[in-house]
Amino acid sequence: MARKKRPESPTAAALDPRALDYSASVSYDWRLYPYDIRGSIAHTRMLGKQGIIAEDEATAIVNGLEAIESELDADTFELREDLEDIHLNIEAALRVKIGDAGARLHTARSRNDQVATDLRMFVKDYAGMLTAGLAALQERFCDLAEKYADAVMPGYTHLQRAQPVLLAHHLLAYVEMFDRDATRFALCHELADVLPLGSGALAGVPYPIDRAFVASELGFERVSANSIDAVSDRDFVVDFHHAAALTMMHLSRFAEEIVLWSGPEFGFLRLPASFATGSSIMPQKRNPDIAELARGRTGRVYGNLMAILTTLKGLPLSYNRDLQEDKEGLFHSADTLISTVGVFSAMIPELEFDTERMEEAAGGGYALATDLADYLVRKGVPFRDAHKAVASLVAHAQGAGKSLSELALEEYRRFSPLFDKDILGIDVRWSIESRDVPGGTASRRVRRALKEARKRLAGR
């Protein structure tokens, strides 16, 4: 049998080799192959059903595509740089595999609507994976909050001790953040759930296609309403980047707290050896490398968001080759976020808190001053006047080198005659339990919040 000639790219035949290298994307867009083959199979079945191509040709194309997918899965498929992208690689291999029938695959579609379809399927898949990954991460935070349900820590504003809170209350703040992130990824999935295939290059196609059939085959909820918008729209990519950037920001905030809390200046947290490294010259060090890397990689994810926004801002309708630049940043952000969520989910159960150190710190730094002001308010003093009296009291204690708990009742009464002996009973635990309002840090409110968080996660 004569060896079949490998077809050339229809766009690359006359290109200078440097231009071809510059414009090729197969080195990264190869990872779209599962979506490209799924889309091509659905498109082919529709062409056969509608009588646009013969049924036997449709069958041959589907069989050929499935064989190519098996080769790609097994990493035995030869990717050719001269064919620019994964889409042309698959189409060229199909023609070699099944002959002239392979040339009919591209009937009633353009690479413009083909690529847009692949990318939407990618975003839908990864948005779903991240929603699931965030749920697992939230479970780990809930587990840690439950483990340290009674632990007390200082709450901070301006990175200065402010008021005592439960550690569980602090940890559950991140569960709320990740709830919002999961909502954004669910919205990403919804907004990407529009089939552009059938839009052609930009004006639609002159064939009796059945777009609803293809949408059903590929799991799309609806089809695009405007062919020009369909091939040029990358809002769904921006949406994914935006959700990824916010999620990385939330992870980075916790990463920063891991860095701070594990240092000797705080001493609240001991890093697990499996998620920390030593110094090359200082044997005493245990460095929070995982947290620092997450903090650093957040900037790269931000950069990907700005890159796609900058790419899109000057593009006239409809398709422009600039849109080829939509993929590398998307892949990078998706991979970075999935790996960061995964490593944090593994690390969080291994964190160990020094609860004695935290509770001691919670009572230091005059953190109960607000409780003293509230005490006077309950005695009828306007809050601003109470604030002023307690500020003077704190200044006196600082000058005397005393903590609030070391002050005698007579010293309290110098600043307000309304202070009575029960003021001596105000401590860290009293302060926490007094915040018994919805969303507050009182232990029963935190237990209820933990229960509600578990309930939400179970229903996701």
Side-chain angles (χ1 to χ4, degrees):
M1 179 182 289
R3 187 174 180 180
K4 295 180 180 178
K5 181 181 178 183
R6 289 166 54 153
E8 292 182 333
S9 163
T11 59
L15 278 181
D16 183 289
R18 289 163 295 188
L20 178 58
D21 288 343
Y22 190 73
S23 59
S25 59
V26 70
S27 62
Y28 54 86
D29 69 15
W30 64 266
R31 65 186 295 175
L32 291 175
Y33 81 82
Y35 308 105
D36 197 70
I37 288 176
R38 280 173 52 198
S40 292
I41 288 174
H43 179 69
T44 300
R45 286 176 174 155
M46 180 275 295
L47 293 177
K49 181 181 78 73
Q50 295 296 101
I52 298 171
I53 65 175
E55 282 288 356
D56 61 335
E57 291 177 321
T59 300
I61 291 171
V62 169
N63 291 340
L65 288 169
E66 288 174 344
I68 290 169
E69 184 173 31
S70 296
E71 293 174 18
L72 282 159
D73 289 343
D75 200 23
T76 59
F77 185 88
E78 180 188 355
L79 291 170
R80 294 172 52 193
E81 290 284 347
D82 62 306
L83 291 176
E84 299 181 41
D85 58 33
I86 188 60
H87 321 289
L88 286 178
N89 265 269
I90 290 172
E91 189 176 344
L94 181 67
R95 293 189 66 178
V96 170
K97 193 172 290 290
I98 69 170
D100 291 341
R104 299 191 185 278
L105 169 62
H106 210 53
T107 306
R109 76 175 184 184
S110 161
R111 262 198 297 178
N112 294 354
D113 60 349
Q114 178 185 359
V115 173
T117 300
D118 294 353
L119 210 55
R120 283 180 178 272
M121 287 193 284
F122 176 92
V123 166
K124 285 174 61 180
D125 267 7
Y126 276 74
M129 281 190 272
L130 282 162
T131 301
L134 285 168
L137 180 63
Q138 288 174 286
E139 288 283 4
R140 301 294 82 74
F141 270 94
C142 287
D143 292 344
L144 198 62
E146 190 166 19
K147 179 179 178 181
Y148 290 99
D150 296 323
V152 173
M153 67 173 289
Y156 291 86
T157 62
H158 309 279
L159 201 56
Q160 298 183 55
R161 294 175 191 172
Q163 293 176 297
V165 297
L166 290 177
L167 172 59
H169 191 52
H170 188 106
L171 294 171
L172 289 176
Y174 286 97
V175 174
E176 296 299 315
M177 295 180 207
F178 296 133
D179 255 356
R180 297 193 294 272
D181 294 328
T183 298
R184 276 184 281 268
F185 279 111
L187 182 60
C188 283
H189 186 283
E190 179 184 343
L191 294 174
D193 200 13
V194 181
L195 176 73
L197 202 61
S199 300
L202 79 159
V205 296
Y207 299 92
I209 60 173
D210 186 345
R211 298 188 70 202
F213 172 85
V214 177
S216 178
E217 288 283 293
L218 295 177
F220 281 95
E221 186 67 26
R222 56 199 185 279
V223 300
S224 56
N226 183 288
S227 59
I228 294 175
D229 178 59
V231 299
S232 59
D233 172 30
R234 294 297 186 272
D235 290 1
F236 64 97
V237 175
V238 177
D239 292 332
F240 187 94
H241 280 295
H242 174 247
L246 280 171
T247 305
M248 284 298 295
M249 179 268 286
H250 292 147
L251 287 162
S252 185
R253 294 184 77 173
F254 188 62
E256 173 66 6
E257 291 187 324
I258 289 174
V259 172
L260 291 173
W261 293 350
S262 62
E265 289 77 8
F266 280 76
F268 294 171
L269 175 67
R270 180 164 177 79
L271 288 171
S274 52
F275 291 94
T277 63
S279 166
S280 61
I281 62 171
M282 294 172 282
Q284 83 281 10
K285 296 285 293 296
R286 184 176 285 191
N287 297 323
D289 286 22
I290 300 303
E292 290 172 346
L293 285 169
R295 193 175 58 184
R297 288 175 187 176
T298 299
R300 294 167 63 187
V301 173
Y302 288 178
N304 293 331
L305 170 60
M306 291 308 301
I308 187 63
L309 285 170
T310 305
T311 295
L312 293 172
K313 75 175 183 63
L315 297 186
L317 295 177
S318 58
Y319 180 82
N320 299 270
R321 191 65 180 270
D322 311 50
L323 291 177
Q324 181 174 301
E325 298 301 301
D326 60 4
K327 297 172 189 64
E328 282 187 283
L330 176 63
F331 298 158
H332 174 264
S333 288
D335 292 343
T336 299
L337 187 51
I338 284 175
S339 63
T340 305
V341 168
V343 75
F344 270 62
S345 291
M347 176 174 62
I348 286 168
E350 305 300 319
L351 298 179
E352 295 181 6
F353 289 92
D354 186 335
T355 55
E356 291 184 7
R357 176 76 175 261
M358 287 193 302
E359 184 156 359
E360 181 184 354
Y366 306 97
L368 298 177
T370 303
D371 296 281
L372 303 185
D374 289 332
Y375 175 94
L376 292 178
V377 169
R378 287 192 292 272
K379 298 275 189 174
V381 179
F383 183 81
R384 288 301 175 193
D385 295 341
H387 183 283
K388 183 178 180 180
V390 173
S392 298
L393 172 67
V394 168
H396 163 76
Q398 289 172 328
K402 295 181 178 181
S403 67
L404 293 176
S405 63
E406 293 173 324
L407 295 176
L409 179 59
E410 292 73 19
E411 290 176 283
Y412 276 98
R413 285 178 170 165
R414 291 182 203 172
F415 301 93
S416 173
L418 296 176
F419 282 122
D420 207 342
K421 60 183 179 180
D422 59 344
I423 195 66
L424 302 178
I426 292 180
D427 60 13
V428 165
R429 293 285 174 175
W430 186 96
S431 174
I432 286 172
E433 296 306 329
S434 71
R435 267 71 183 174
D436 191 7
V437 295
T441 194
S443 56
R444 85 180 183 97
R445 297 293 181 174
V446 173
R447 286 195 300 270
R448 183 177 298 177
L450 178 58
K451 183 178 179 180
E452 287 298 315
R454 299 273 200 199
K455 184 177 178 180
R456 288 197 307 271
L457 290 168
R460 187 174 297 171

